[in-house]
């Protein structure tokens, strides 16, 4: 009887130790160095939100802390290029979206990185539509009214973005082009300073990601004109999509996920991918993304590459038609 009890105790201890050791051996498959996620935009925006949620939930799954760093400049170019040039040792991932992975090659004449050749996608976690909001006191409260006013007053209205070449810049530029109107672009270093001027009445419009636009919409401090998704945003059921307004056939949902340098060892890629998939599928994470106005998503690696390839061609044409440049 005593021997049986001893065996049970030993088994329990070994099981506990196994559970403690397993995450650490997983971490060894990622990297011997400290882990980081690079956000190529300032704190407070959509990139930053996704990066911090994933870092928080992936760390215990990997068994190693993950530090989030904001490396900003030139829209999303500085931070993205920084990761592209790092040693492919599995220690550092990039928050990637349609902006820095799909749009930048068509916006910058001498882009210092190749988003297709220089990166391996880990996966997507969420997609967001954009929400067109305006300052209080504008002489219209619909997208149709905006377009009519812009046609009658070319060059008078201004629109903010978080920087040249961001989705906040390219999406409205494509919309204005399709609608045949002329608005003045005012780039900022991230979303927060853009909001300072929008709320202060110094810039007229902002086409921002749903999670950062939502608090201002709920506070009633801005006018909401349209959303950019194929379907209405569930958090804004009374706000029409661009397509519904009849102004233009323009639609965009910006996916967000993690990317690693292209030559990262397969074991490290798989470790990041496994942790991210598990984190993104947690009920708590899905709830946070949904409350922020996003659509949780977790496509396979092959599906992710197919989505990137499709968007790569689609936005090449839209950017060329709108003659948008970020240089």
């Amino acid at each position: 009887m005593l021997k049986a009890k001893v065996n049970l105790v030993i088994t329990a201890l070994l099981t506990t130790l196994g559970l403690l050791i397993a995450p650490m051996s997983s971490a060894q498959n990622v990297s011997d160095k400290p882990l980081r996620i690079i956000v190529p935009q300032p704190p407070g925006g959509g990139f930053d939100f996704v990066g911090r949620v994933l870092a928080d939930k992936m760390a215990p799954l990997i068994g190693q802390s993950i530090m989030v760093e904001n490396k900003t400049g030139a829209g999303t170019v500085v931070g993205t290029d920084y990761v592209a040039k790092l040693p492919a040792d599995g220690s550092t991932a990039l928050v990637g979206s349609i902006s820095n992975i799909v749009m930048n090659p068509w916006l910058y004449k001498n882009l210092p990185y190749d988003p297709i050749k220089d990166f391996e996608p880990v996966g997507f976690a969420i997609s967001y539509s954009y929400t067109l909001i305006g300052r209080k006191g504008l002489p219209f409260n619909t997208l149709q009214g905006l377009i009519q006013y812009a046609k009658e007053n070319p060059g008078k209205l201004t629109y903010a973005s978080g920087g040249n070449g961001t989705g906040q810049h390219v999406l409205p530029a494509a919309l204005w082009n399709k609608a045949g109107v002329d608005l003045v672009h005012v780039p900022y270093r991230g979303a927060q300073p853009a909001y300072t001027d929008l709320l202060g009445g110094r810039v007229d419009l902002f086409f921002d990601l749903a999670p950062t636009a939502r608090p201002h919409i709920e506070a009633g401090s801005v006018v909401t004109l349209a959303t950019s998704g194929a379907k209405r945003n569930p958090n804004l059921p009374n706000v029409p999509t661009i397509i519904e307004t009849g102004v233009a056939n323009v639609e965009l949902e910006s996916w967000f996920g993690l990317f690693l340098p292209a030559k990262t060892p397969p074991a490290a890629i798989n470790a990041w991918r496994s942790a991210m998939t598990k984190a993104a599928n947690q009920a708590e994470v899905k709830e946070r993304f949904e409350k922020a106005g996003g659509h949780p998503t977790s496509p396979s690696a092959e599906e992710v590459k197919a989505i990137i390839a499709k968007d790569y061609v689609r936005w090449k044409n839209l950017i060329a038609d709108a003659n948008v440049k970020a240089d």
Side-chain angles (χ1 to χ4, degrees):
M1 179 68 72
L2 179 61
K3 184 176 181 182
K5 287 183 178 179
V6 170
N7 286 338
L8 284 173
V9 171
I10 292 172
T11 300
L13 285 172
L14 288 174
T15 301
T16 302
L17 287 171
L19 290 173
L20 292 173
I21 292 168
M24 294 308 294
S25 65
S26 173
Q28 290 172 1
N29 289 332
V30 178
S31 176
D32 294 331
K33 296 182 179 179
L35 302 186
R36 297 184 296 166
I37 290 178
I38 300 300
V39 175
Q41 281 273 284
F47 277 86
D48 191 65
F49 173 68
V50 173
R52 293 183 188 278
V53 169
L54 290 178
D56 180 54
K57 296 302 179 182
M58 288 173 62
L61 296 171
I62 291 176
Q64 195 172 347
S65 62
I66 303 175
M67 183 169 58
V68 177
E69 292 184 23
N70 298 83
K71 289 194 176 291
T72 67
T76 55
V77 174
V78 171
T80 305
D81 184 54
Y82 171 79
V83 178
K85 302 291 194 294
L86 287 176
D89 57 16
S91 67
T92 307
L94 168 77
V95 178
S97 84
I98 202 165
S99 297
N100 55 339
I101 302 299
V102 165
M103 293 179 176
N104 280 357
W106 317 119
L107 293 166
Y108 293 88
K109 186 181 295 184
N110 297 304
L111 191 68
Y113 67 90
D114 184 320
I116 305 302
K117 294 181 180 179
D118 292 344
F119 291 100
E120 175 65 26
V122 174
F124 295 161
I126 187 171
S127 66
Y128 290 116
S129 61
Y130 288 75
T131 305
L132 179 58
I133 54 179
R135 64 172 175 82
K136 287 285 194 175
L138 288 170
F140 48 80
N141 57 14
T142 65
L143 180 55
Q144 297 95 320
L146 183 163
I147 299 302
Q148 183 62 37
Y149 182 88
K151 287 182 177 179
E152 296 170 355
N153 300 273
K156 186 173 181 179
L157 290 173
T158 57
Y159 68 101
S161 79
N164 282 320
T166 59
Q168 301 152 336
H169 170 206
V170 178
L171 171 60
L175 173 58
W176 313 144
N177 175 66
K178 291 282 188 181
V181 293
D182 177 26
L183 281 76
V184 178
H185 175 221
V186 184
Y188 293 84
R189 289 182 63 86
Q192 296 312 309
Y195 276 111
T196 298
D197 277 4
L198 182 74
L199 299 177
R202 291 177 290 275
V203 68
D204 296 318
L205 303 159
F206 192 18
F207 223 142
D208 193 23
L209 288 166
T212 42
R214 188 177 178 187
H216 304 286
I217 294 170
E218 292 179 343
S221 54
V222 295
V223 177
T224 311
L225 303 172
T227 58
S228 70
K231 298 179 181 179
R232 292 195 181 196
N233 187 322
N235 293 317
L236 299 169
N238 297 321
V239 180
T241 66
I242 297 172
I243 294 173
E244 282 182 300
T245 67
V247 165
N249 186 23
V250 175
E251 170 265 318
L252 171 64
E253 283 210 7
S254 185
W255 38 258
F256 284 81
L258 296 181
F259 290 74
L260 291 165
K263 295 182 180 179
T264 300
I269 294 172
N270 290 336
W272 277 95
R273 189 168 284 155
S274 174
M276 181 180 161
T277 300
K278 290 175 183 176
N281 282 305
Q282 290 179 8
E284 180 187 347
V285 172
K286 288 184 175 181
E287 184 179 359
R288 288 185 69 180
F289 284 160
E290 287 170 351
K291 284 184 175 179
H295 300 113
T297 183
S298 187
S300 68
E302 292 73 22
E303 289 170 333
V304 166
K305 290 179 180 180
I307 292 168
I308 291 172
K310 180 181 177 181
D311 284 343
Y312 198 72
V313 174
R314 183 165 76 98
W315 280 94
K316 172 186 178 182
N317 297 329
L318 283 169
I319 289 169
D321 289 344
N323 194 30
V324 182
K325 301 292 181 185
D327 288 311

